[in-house]
């Protein structure tokens, strides 16, 4: 992208935030495959594996028309497990030929098998890391999941030590006590960074047709009596891993790490849910494996790319009205959201 193109793109991003009409779309999240190869305790995606849906090469080629017009710079391949799509690398090639950077979110089970293709077609990988070996395998509900993950990372790093692989960890009742061990495992694997977020227990995301019952939530939420221990773990972590935080090996600041405690405490009316500054519906969108388009993972669908172009969906009267009326600070879905994206018009994507 030339300087002139970059300035124009930044201006269009600014205009989007001002007008609620999508003129630039820096980030798009695609779900190439609906199924998953893990059976995680905090996620229901795998429960619908029999109803397979997946994006096709034709879907992505049609999608590319809108991505080019809106100046999309990064596509995040999410899931399910994106690598289960047999045409995954063909999809990456179509996008990569247009200079779009590709980030893969993965369980990590098949990294070693796909290592050479990943190094060719993907710009970086974010793996799920849930604990030390025993805890990770328990949460993933897959024997040897940790070993497969570690072997895959090691093999890719042996080929290209500079290839970026980071980890994302959902912190919850089952693994918060081994939080330090997660950091140590990430360092041992020679990962480039590790980040943390709380578990979503209150939305329809992650294939929850029916909202979780209180009993199901309590399997993942730390109990009220466990909150002091969670707070102690966090304060000890902030002190013990001060250098890792300063170097941004740990992605979150102490303030953001402490918000994980605040999030769980809010379920017991011990303070408000932590505020998150987010403009995800203005700078990104989610395209699911059946073509469904959402403004983010957690809000209602806006349309389907198999019926209309992405640009038309995002700039339909319905979508524009949604953005105009969305008050992130007070919206019931946003208040309990576990993740956020806040991308200013001038911020460059990494």
């Amino acid at each position: 992208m030339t300087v002139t193109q970059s300035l124009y793109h930044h201006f269009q991003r600014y205009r989007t935030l001002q007008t609620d009409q999508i003129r630039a779309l820096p980030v798009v999240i695609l779900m190439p495959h609906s199924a998953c190869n893990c059976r995680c305790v905090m996620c229901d995606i795998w429960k619908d594996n029999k109803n397979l849906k997946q994006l096709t090469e034709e879907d992505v080629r049609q999608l590319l028309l809108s991505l080019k017009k809106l100046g999309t710079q990064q596509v995040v391949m999410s899931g399910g497990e994106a690598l289960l799509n047999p045409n995954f690398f063909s999809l990456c090639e179509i996008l990569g030929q247009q200079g779009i950077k590709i980030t893969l979110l993965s369980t990590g089970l098949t990294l070693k098998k796909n290592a050479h293709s990943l190094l060719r077609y993907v710009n970086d990988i974010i793996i799920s890391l849930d604990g030390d070996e025993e805890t990770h395998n328990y949460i993933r509900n897959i024997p040897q999941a940790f070993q497969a993950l570690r072997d895959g990372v090691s093999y890719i790093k042996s080929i290209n030590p500079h290839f970026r692989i980071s980890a994302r960890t959902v912190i919850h009742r089952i693994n918060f006590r081994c939080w330090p061990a997660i950091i140590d495992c990430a360092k041992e694997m020679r990962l480039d960074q590790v980040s943390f977020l709380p578990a979503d227990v209150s939305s329809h995301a992650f294939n929850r047709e029916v909202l979780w019952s209180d009993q199901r939530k309590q399997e993942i939420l730390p109990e009220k009596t466990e909150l002091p221990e969670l707070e102690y773990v966090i304060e000890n972590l902030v002190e013990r891993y001060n250098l890792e935080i300063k170097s941004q090996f740990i992605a979150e600041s102490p303030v953001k790490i402490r918000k994980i405690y605040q999030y769980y405490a809010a379920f017991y009316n011990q303070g408000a849910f932590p505020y998150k500054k987010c403009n995800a519906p203005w700078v990104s969108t989610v395209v699911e494996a059946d073509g469904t388009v959402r403004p983010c993972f957690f809000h209602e669908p806006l349309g389907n790319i198999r019926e209309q172009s992405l640009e038309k969906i995002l700039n339909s009267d319905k979508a524009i009205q949604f953005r105009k009326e969305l008050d992130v600070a007070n919206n019931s879905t946003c208040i309990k959201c576990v993740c956020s994206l806040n991308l200013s018009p001038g911020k460059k994507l990494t």
Side-chain angles (χ1 to χ4, degrees), residues 280-349:
W282 290 265
V283 299
S284 67
T285 194
V286 175
V287 180
E288 297 181 345
D290 63 353
T292 297
V293 176
R294 295 178 183 268
C296 73
F297 285 107
F298 304 99
H299 283 286
E300 292 299 311
L302 298 172
N304 193 295
I305 60 167
R306 292 172 179 168
E307 299 169 2
Q308 263 188 315
S309 73
L310 180 64
E311 184 190 10
K312 286 186 177 179
I313 293 170
L314 295 180
N315 286 321
S316 65
D317 292 342
K318 174 183 177 181
I320 291 174
Q321 191 66 25
F322 165 80
R323 289 187 291 272
K324 283 185 181 296
E325 295 177 354
L326 181 60
D327 179 358
V328 173
N330 295 297
N331 179 271
S332 59
T333 297
C334 295
I335 286 172
K336 293 184 179 180
C337 182
V338 298
C339 61
S340 61
L341 174 64
N342 185 42
L343 197 60
S344 64
K347 186 174 181 180
K348 293 182 178 180
L349 300 179

Side-chain angles (χ1 to χ4, degrees), residues 168-209:
R168 181 173 295 166
T169 301
V170 178
I171 295 292
H172 47 76
R173 183 182 184 185
I174 299 170
N175 67 356
F176 80 83
R177 293 177 180 87
C178 67
W179 202 334
I182 295 168
I183 299 170
D184 293 340
C185 286
K187 292 169 70 175
E188 179 192 352
M189 289 185 194
R190 294 186 296 145
L191 296 176
D192 294 278
Q193 192 176 54
V194 60
S195 66
F196 304 100
L197 71 162
D200 171 55
V201 298
S202 56
S203 81
H204 282 287
F206 312 111
N207 197 42
R208 295 175 193 147
E209 291 186 8

Side-chain angles (χ1 to χ4, degrees), residues 82-100:
L83 288 171
L84 291 176
N85 187 314
N87 297 312
F88 175 76
F89 293 110
S90 296
L91 307 185
C92 292
E93 186 175 21
I94 293 168
L95 296 166
Q97 286 174 346
Q98 301 301 320
I100 296 173

